[in-house]
Amino acid sequence: GEDVEQSLFLSVREGDSSVINCTYTDSSSTYLYWYKQEPGAGLQLLTYIFSNMDMKQDQRLTVLLNKKDKHLSLRIADTQTGDSAIYFCAESYSSASKIIFGSGTRLSIRP
Amino acid sequence: NAGVTQTPKFRILKIGQSMTLQCTQDMNHNYMYWYRQDPGMGLKLIYYSVGAGITDKGEVPNGYNVSRSTTEDFPLRLELAAPSQTSVYFCASSYGSGDQPQHFGDGTRLSIL
């Protein structure tokens, strides 16, 4: 079955790195995504990774994929107050017409 | 380029009333989706469409209807509003499936009283 799980909350100090984790169950996933949702807004795609990749880096963002353990993580370096949001992990398959979302991790930044 | 536009942004309905949530996109995307987001939860897919004239049920279609007469528009209809339909509704679109990211509207916050 299809399932994506994330922890609900993460609190980090400003300037530290944030690591948001996600596990998924379907080994046939082809694409894995990270979306960001700010208060009162829709979801915004941050980055995505193909299942044949182990890592993808984009400025302050690093995505790591452990396909054997079905584990995906998002690292945000030098976390800023503007990074406060809910982060959603999601998976999809090349043959499917839909994306399966996790429940989201609320990232809060403390001074 | 407006992207995905949803109207209204907020609405309060009485139990048993009906309404249509509007969604339009100007990116010529084939795929469109309706999700609901309940507090502290992820997104649940209500309906989706892979092109004009084609719609399919998602995880939670009961109590809703959709139509896709044009590529641009994908309205969501609630016929008999129930308190369980109090939620934030998001419309999204994508060029295709799989590796194509979904673009989201800003949501419609709906309360049924």
Side-chain angles (χ1 to χ4, degrees):
Chain A
E2 308 157 341
D3 197 14
V4 178
E5 294 190 356
Q6 306 177 235
S7 53
L8 291 180
F9 301 101
L10 177 65
S11 176
V12 299
R13 194 181 302 276
E14 187 175 2
D16 287 352
S17 292
S18 306
V19 180
I20 303 171
N21 294 302
C22 168
T23 57
Y24 58 98
T25 55
D26 198 322
S27 58
S28 62
S29 295
T30 309
Y31 307 96
L32 295 127
Y33 307 84
W34 284 105
Y35 282 83
K36 176 183 181 182
Q37 184 182 31
E38 296 182 359
L43 278 68
Q44 175 190 8
L45 179 67
L46 278 180
T47 186
Y48 67 95
I49 189 169
F50 297 115
S51 60
N52 61 358
M53 297 170 64
D54 298 323
M55 186 182 86
K56 181 178 180 182
Q57 187 153 4
D58 183 3
Q59 300 182 344
R60 291 191 299 123
L61 304 179
T62 302
V63 178
L64 294 178
L65 175 60
N66 182 328
K67 201 171 179 184
K68 173 176 168 290
D69 294 338
K70 297 178 193 166
H71 182 267
L72 182 75
S73 68
L74 173 70
R75 178 176 179 270
I76 306 173
D78 187 25
T79 309
Q80 303 298 308
T81 54
D83 296 323
S84 291
I86 302 175
Y87 290 81
F88 290 91
C89 172
E91 62 172 350
S92 73
Y93 331 98
S94 58
S95 60
S97 305
K98 55 186 181 179
I99 294 177
I100 308 298
F101 288 88
S103 297
T105 299
R106 184 180 296 274
L107 176 64
S108 63
I109 316 301
R110 57 184 192 273
Chain B
N1 192 339
V4 179
T5 303
Q6 291 183 239
T7 56
K9 293 191 185 304
F10 305 95
R11 185 73 184 267
I12 298 174
L13 284 182
K14 293 182 180 177
I15 295 171
Q17 285 186 319
S18 62
M19 79 162 293
T20 300
L21 282 66
Q22 302 290 346
C23 175
T24 188
Q25 52 91 10
D26 61 0
M27 296 173 283
N28 202 31
H29 284 170
N30 293 318
Y31 289 64
M32 295 188 75
Y33 311 81
W34 274 106
Y35 295 91
R36 59 177 287 172
Q37 184 181 32
D38 298 323
M41 305 289 286
L43 281 74
K44 293 191 186 301
L45 182 65
I46 305 171
Y47 271 96
Y48 66 101
S49 168
V50 302
I54 306 168
T55 61
D56 273 301
K57 295 179 181 179
E59 289 179 84
V60 290
N62 291 342
Y64 306 95
N65 278 301
V66 292
S67 60
R68 185 93 184 272
S69 56
T70 66
T71 299
E72 294 78 19
D73 300 305
F74 191 40
L76 177 72
R77 178 108 180 132
L78 282 72
E79 290 293 350
L80 289 171
S84 62
Q85 293 177 305
T86 294
S87 190
V88 181
Y89 291 84
F90 288 101
C91 178
S93 72
S94 63
Y95 183 70
S97 63
D99 66 338
Q100 301 299 315
Q102 295 188 5
H103 299 259
F104 283 79
D106 288 337
T108 295
R109 187 174 298 275
L110 182 62
S111 295
I112 316 295
L113 303 177

